[in-house]
Amino acid sequence: MKLSNHSILFLAAGFYLLLGGIAGYATVNAAILLALGIYRFRTDRNKLAIVVMAVSTLVLIINQFVLFALIVLLSLGFYYIRSRPAASGLYRGAHRMFLNMRLDERSWVLQSMSYWQVVGEIRMDMTLAIPEDKETSIVLQGLVGDVDLTVPEDYGLEVEASVLIGQIGFRQSRDGGVLHRLSWRSPDYDRKEYRLKLQLFYLVGDIKIRTV
């Protein structure tokens, strides 16, 4: 059944009033502005979008501090469980309020890493990377994340990804919604010269993984 524009408008207004009555209109407005800020930043890297995201996040923290603190503590707990990569060798790890990682324009060293962030935008092109070890583990986790990863076709790949709300794209497929999860492993993973393990977990996320 196709909904008319008027039906969609009335439904959106109804949801807005319902959520506003439950969580408070300041909270709902801040969440909407945060989503718009993320969308604008992804579109053209506008600096104003960063300010909007920061202010919206601050308003959400102030208005829903207990809920926000609970979500952060639970997320950090799961992060620390997974943060130590299984692969041998050195690894990088940190937690940030905002993370903007761009590794898609020049050559770089690929090593095991784990990052947790409240809001993050991450771009990695492994075809430009020089692997430090035969097996690399990357753990990325947070509340809101926009992740775009490009992996060489000849790598052994193991992926475990989940988003509470959002989309996960893998190769040519792309699925979204609520409580979406992806688990995949190359059939010949153990026979590949270089192997990559990806663990990606976000409450709200847009994850894209391509192989070339």
Side-chain angles (χ1 to χ4, degrees), residues 11-212:
L11 286 172
F15 277 118
Y16 175 79
L17 293 173
L18 176 63
L19 293 175
I22 296 174
Y25 291 103
T27 298
V28 175
N29 292 336
I32 293 173
L33 287 175
L34 177 60
L36 291 174
I38 294 171
Y39 174 78
R40 179 63 185 274
F41 183 76
R42 288 174 55 197
T43 302
D44 58 8
R45 304 295 188 273
N46 189 282
K47 292 183 179 179
L48 179 60
I50 298 176
V51 176
V52 171
M53 287 189 293
V55 173
S56 302
T57 301
L58 182 60
V59 172
L60 286 172
I61 294 173
I62 293 173
N63 282 275
Q64 300 291 334
F65 179 77
V66 175
L67 178 60
F68 181 82
L70 178 62
I71 292 173
V72 168
L73 289 174
L74 289 173
S75 181
L76 278 172
F78 285 113
Y79 167 76
Y80 281 116
I81 291 173
R82 303 183 178 104
S83 61
R84 180 79 190 188
S88 60
L90 299 175
Y91 80 103
R92 294 181 291 166
H95 28 353
R96 310 267 180 84
M97 181 67 74
F98 299 100
L99 177 64
N100 184 17
M101 181 183 294
R102 299 299 301 267
L103 297 171
D104 59 350
E105 296 178 351
R106 58 176 64 92
S107 61
W108 54 286
V109 177
L110 175 62
Q111 61 182 189
S112 293
M113 64 182 75
S114 59
Y115 285 95
W116 181 93
Q117 70 278 174
V118 175
V119 178
E121 183 191 30
I122 299 163
R123 300 283 185 272
M124 292 186 193
D125 188 346
M126 281 77 162
T127 64
L128 302 176
I130 302 171
E132 185 178 64
D133 297 301
K134 295 296 185 181
E135 184 172 77
T136 304
S137 292
I138 296 178
V139 179
L140 301 174
Q141 184 172 325
L143 304 188
V144 180
D146 180 12
V147 181
D148 191 332
L149 307 178
T150 302
V151 182
E153 186 72 44
D154 58 351
Y155 273 32
L157 180 61
E158 182 177 319
V159 180
E160 185 180 357
S162 64
V163 294
L164 179 62
I165 301 173
Q167 298 183 354
I168 298 178
F170 180 61
R171 293 182 168 177
Q172 304 301 320
S173 65
R174 187 169 181 82
D175 296 308
V178 179
L179 294 174
H180 189 60
R181 184 174 182 272
L182 169 68
S183 182
W184 188 86
R185 178 184 169 99
S186 301
D188 55 352
Y189 178 88
D190 294 321
R191 297 195 299 273
K192 293 291 188 178
E193 180 180 4
Y194 293 107
R195 299 174 297 278
L196 178 65
K197 292 185 177 182
L198 300 176
Q199 298 184 38
L200 316 171
F201 307 97
Y202 288 94
L203 293 182
V204 180
D206 185 3
I207 298 173
K208 295 180 287 293
I209 304 170
R210 293 186 292 267
T211 57
V212 296

